[in-house]
Amino acid sequence: MLIIRTAAALTLAAGLAPRASPLLVLAGAAMEMLYLKSPNSIHHTLLTGAGLLAAGDLGHGLHIAHAPSTANTWAQCLLVLITTDIYWNSAWQKTRSRQFRTGLCLAQWIHTYTQVEDQLPYWHEHAIPGFVRRHMDNLTNRDIRLWRLLATTVIATEIALPAALLFPRTMPYAAAGVAMHIASTCLKPRQLVTFSGLTTGTYFAFTA
């Protein structure tokens, strides 16, 4: 199934069998829900894939059509709504969490990681930059203030980003979203790389 799903993803990217390919990709992703303990990325994959299936024109080969078209408008709207819901729901949950909002959650996470990283069974689960481990791994008031600033920045970015992506003048602020996802993926690469890739990929739906 993994081989079939990968092949279907490649044919979808090439614009070949545009209806059958996403169905195979989604079927392969749905299979992972049978054994994954935390299938949030799979939920996101299925949602975005369902939105993609609503497109009227998924492509017909390795070429780009420059003529204006409304064939994919409904699919774009669905992707925009899904991404907006994910960001705003995440911001709401973080805002309600006093531990995250005050920066204590991130400070404790990094501090604990630096203490036990040599004992973790899977070194590739995390990729904390050396600068962070050297200068922001304690639980001093300074460290907690820095993490509080970062936590507030993340919440503000998640709230503002969906609206900023909708307008050409503020579209460059998508770089803030990309930077946020890169930083969060460093915390848990294996768990967040799929989610981050999917979410930043939906940014293209905001531009048309």
Side-chain angles (χ1 to χ4, degrees):
M1 179 56 79
L2 289 174
I3 294 173
I4 292 173
R5 185 179 71 179
T6 302
L10 292 174
T11 57
L12 175 62
L16 304 174
R19 289 299 170 191
S21 296
L23 287 174
L24 290 173
V25 173
L26 293 178
M31 184 189 72
E32 296 188 12
M33 296 182 66
L34 299 175
Y35 57 85
L36 286 184
K37 295 181 179 179
S38 180
N40 290 332
S41 291
I42 303 304
H43 293 157
H44 187 25
T45 301
L46 296 176
L47 280 173
T48 53
L52 195 63
L53 286 175
D57 184 5
L58 286 171
H60 305 284
L62 294 173
H63 70 278
I64 298 175
H66 298 282
S69 172
T70 59
N72 299 328
T73 301
W74 179 235
Q76 288 178 298
C77 288
L78 290 176
L79 291 174
V80 167
L81 289 174
I82 291 168
T83 305
T84 301
D85 175 72
I86 287 173
Y87 275 135
W88 285 359
N89 184 60
S90 177
W92 171 248
Q93 297 297 329
K94 290 181 176 68
T95 302
R96 294 184 62 190
S97 171
R98 183 180 181 277
Q99 191 178 26
F100 184 90
R101 194 175 64 247
T102 59
L104 189 59
C105 174
L106 294 173
Q108 290 175 329
W109 199 96
I110 297 297
H111 176 71
T112 302
Y113 171 79
T114 57
Q115 301 300 311
V116 302
E117 60 177 319
D118 295 334
Q119 304 173 42
L120 295 176
Y122 303 110
W123 62 267
H124 51 286
E125 287 277 2
H126 312 287
I128 309 300
F131 175 84
V132 175
R133 287 183 291 179
R134 289 191 299 270
H135 300 285
M136 300 174 65
D137 66 332
N138 293 311
L139 295 176
T140 63
N141 290 333
R142 168 192 166 275
D143 291 322
I144 295 175
R145 283 197 301 270
L146 286 173
W147 288 113
R148 182 186 303 133
L149 176 61
L150 287 173
T152 303
T153 301
V154 168
I155 293 172
T157 301
E158 290 183 330
I159 293 173
L161 193 58
L165 289 171
L166 287 172
F167 302 99
R169 181 172 295 181
T170 53
M171 182 65 187
Y173 287 102
V178 173
M180 179 182 67
H181 282 289
I182 291 174
S184 60
T185 301
C186 284
L187 298 179
K188 294 184 177 182
R190 291 183 67 189
Q191 293 186 19
L192 294 178
V193 65
T194 301
F195 171 79
S196 295
L198 278 171
T199 306
T200 53
T202 62
Y203 289 1
F204 292 101
F206 286 79
T207 63

